């Protein structure tokens, strides 16, 4: 059987600026595939192409063996999508949102009813089936969007930043639903996320930046190939930071104002601490993680994670607390 997703030599641009530059990868059926990258890396553009929402400049993209450019309608039958921004109709109830989605996909009345009941139970929203979505919290909306994406029983699920702004308990609950679906339905899941810790258990992790895929593999493979031990230090002031950056050209400046030094041997750490220990506000060591892999490959942290998280949390807060 063909791969769940196949992308070959994909190019895309906006206003003359290249957004995707010769992107190629494949996803096996039933795999969990994580796409990591900062804003502007090309993640959302890539997902939009796979979801048939925009055309590539050139190259090919297939889902379940179907060319998304040549057969977009057929391709849509195989995919479910949860967008970064909510696309629910908040004037309707949860049930009505699901009913409308079922109508769009041509599901018979009995099938629509059975599947709506099933997906609401899956995401623990059965008690709110008749409530207007406008009154839902951010977490409830996210769960309903996942339920809606599953109404027509897709074989591939695309999730664009599915848990941004949600509290840890709700995030964990959502990933539990998705893990259950993968086990029970052999569902293929492609996720873009800023929460690197959420993809530690992914089958494949793909790091993309400035439209290029710069690394791909299992979390273990990426850590072995690119991970390193880092010393994170927060200087007392900018003068100290500038002095350290000059003395250690390999050091990385992080958005939080701290510095990160890759530790190639213990002697390097000892020398650095002997020089600057008393001019630092904070010191910590970080063992190899996917975060350190991203830092090693791109020269920075996942830079917009905190800002995106705060914006989404403020928006969710205006709609009420998480439930």
């Amino acid at each position: 059987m063909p791969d769940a997703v196949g992308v070959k030599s994909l190019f895309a641009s906006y206003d003359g600026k290249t957004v995707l530059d010769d992107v190629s990868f494949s996803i096996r059926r039933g795999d969990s595939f994580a796409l990591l990258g900062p804003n502007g890396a090309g993640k959302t553009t890539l997902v939009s192409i796979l979801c048939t929402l925009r055309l590539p400049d050139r190259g090919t993209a297939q889902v379940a063996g179907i060319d998304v450019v040549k057969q977009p309608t057929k391709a849509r039958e195989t995919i479910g999508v949860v967008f970064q921004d909510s696309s629910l109709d908040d004037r309707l109830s949860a049930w009505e949102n699901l009913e409308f989605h079922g109508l769009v996909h041509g599901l018979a009345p009995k099938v629509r009813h059975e599947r709506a009941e099933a997906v609401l139970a899956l995401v623990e929203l059965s008690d709110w089936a008749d409530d207007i979505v406008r009154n839902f919290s951010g977490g409830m909306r996210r769960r309903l969007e996942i339920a809606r994406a599953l109404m027509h029983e897709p074989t591939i699920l695309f999730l664009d930043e599915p848990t941004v702004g949600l509290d840890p308990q709700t995030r964990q609950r959502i990933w539990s639903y998705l893990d259950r679906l993968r086990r029970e339905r052999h569902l293929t899941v492609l996720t873009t996320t800023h929460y690197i810790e959420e993809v530690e258990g992914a089958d494949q992790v793909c790091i993309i930046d400035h439209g290029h895929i710069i690394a791909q593999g299992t979390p273990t493979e990426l850590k072995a190939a690119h991970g390193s031990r880092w010393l994170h230090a927060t200087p007392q002031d900018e003068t100290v930071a500038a002095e350290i950056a000059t003395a250690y050209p390999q050091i990385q400046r992080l958005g939080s104002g701290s510095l990160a030094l890759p530790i190639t041997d213990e002697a390097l750490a000892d020398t650095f601490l002997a020089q600057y220990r008393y001019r630092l506000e904070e010191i910590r060591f970080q063992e190899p993680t996917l975060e350190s892999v991203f830092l090693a490959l791109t020269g920075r942290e996942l830079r917009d994670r905190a800002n995106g998280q705060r914006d989404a949390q403020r928006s969710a807060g205006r709609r009420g607390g998480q439930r």
Side-chain angles (χ1 to χ4, degrees):
M1 297 181 70
D3 288 326
V5 176
V7 174
K8 186 175 181 181
S9 301
L10 208 62
F11 291 81
S13 60
Y14 283 113
D15 299 324
K17 180 182 179 182
T18 299
V19 181
L20 296 176
D21 190 356
D22 197 18
V23 169
S24 299
F25 65 87
S26 62
I27 306 175
R28 296 173 303 183
R29 288 176 180 264
D31 270 7
S32 172
F33 185 92
L35 196 61
L36 294 179
N39 278 351
K43 304 187 305 296
T44 298
T45 299
L46 179 55
V47 171
S48 296
I49 291 171
L50 292 171
C51 295
T52 76
L53 296 179
R54 70 152 290 169
L55 297 173
D57 294 345
R58 62 183 187 274
T60 60
Q62 295 184 340
V63 294
I66 303 164
D67 191 299
V68 300
V69 174
K70 296 178 180 178
Q71 297 178 287
T73 301
K74 187 176 180 181
R76 291 186 195 118
E77 296 173 359
T78 70
I79 64 174
V81 187
V82 176
F83 297 103
Q84 183 173 355
D85 298 319
S86 178
S87 58
L88 296 168
D89 190 329
D90 65 4
R91 299 164 298 178
L92 303 180
S93 68
W95 186 273
E96 288 168 337
N97 269 277
L98 298 180
E99 176 79 5
F100 181 75
H101 186 83
L103 284 167
V104 169
H105 280 272
L107 302 182
K110 182 181 179 181
V111 175
R112 291 200 304 272
H113 186 92
E114 290 174 349
R115 292 191 185 170
E117 285 189 333
V119 295
L120 284 172
L122 171 69
V123 299
E124 301 175 23
L125 288 176
S126 298
D127 292 343
W128 290 275
D130 297 321
D131 287 16
I132 300 300
V133 171
R134 182 174 296 156
N135 300 321
F136 280 16
S137 70
M140 294 173 72
R141 289 183 183 224
R142 229 14 166 190
R143 286 149 56 193
L144 180 59
E145 287 181 299
I146 291 173
R148 182 185 62 179
L150 298 171
M151 271 287 288
H152 59 291
E153 296 189 340
T155 58
I156 305 164
L157 186 62
F158 294 113
L159 305 167
D160 193 7
E161 303 287 357
T163 60
V164 164
L166 302 183
D167 64 83
Q169 183 179 7
T170 303
R171 286 165 52 197
Q172 181 58 45
R173 185 183 299 174
I174 285 174
W175 285 111
S176 294
Y177 302 148
L178 296 172
D179 287 341
R180 175 181 164 187
L181 285 168
R182 288 185 56 227
R183 291 194 305 270
E184 294 179 353
R185 301 188 188 179
H186 204 55
L187 185 70
T188 304
V189 179
L190 183 153
T191 308
T192 75
T193 182
H194 284 97
Y195 299 108
I196 289 184
E197 68 275 10
E198 290 185 341
V199 301
E200 286 282 352
D203 296 304
Q204 289 282 313
V205 175
C206 179
I207 298 176
I208 184 170
D209 198 16
H210 299 300
H212 295 276
I213 291 179
I214 55 179
Q216 182 179 338
T218 67
T220 300
E221 289 170 346
L222 290 175
K223 291 174 192 177
H226 307 286
S228 59
R229 191 168 184 240
W230 291 78
L231 187 157
H232 290 252
T234 303
Q236 291 177 340
D237 52 45
E238 178 55 32
T239 301
V240 178
E243 181 182 329
I244 293 173
T246 300
Y248 293 87
Q250 71 272 43
I251 214 155
Q252 305 287 353
R253 284 181 175 262
L254 307 181
S256 58
S258 62
L259 305 174
L261 177 68
I263 301 301
T264 54
D265 58 64
E266 292 305 315
L268 177 62
D270 292 342
T271 300
F272 177 84
L273 292 174
Q275 287 178 286
Y276 297 105
R277 181 190 302 273
Y278 300 107
R279 301 171 69 186
L280 302 172
E281 292 184 352
E282 182 182 0
I283 304 167
R284 66 181 176 87
F285 286 93
Q286 182 186 56
E287 299 304 319
T289 62
L290 284 179
E291 186 85 54
S292 70
V293 169
F294 190 88
L295 179 60
L297 290 171
T298 68
R300 59 190 178 280
E301 292 178 302
L302 210 44
R303 59 177 176 250
D304 56 352
R305 177 176 58 183
N307 290 336
Q309 180 179 350
R310 285 195 294 268
D311 291 344
Q313 285 174 332
R314 284 196 293 268
S315 176
R318 288 193 291 270
R319 295 191 293 268
Q322 308 287 349
R323 284 187 253 173

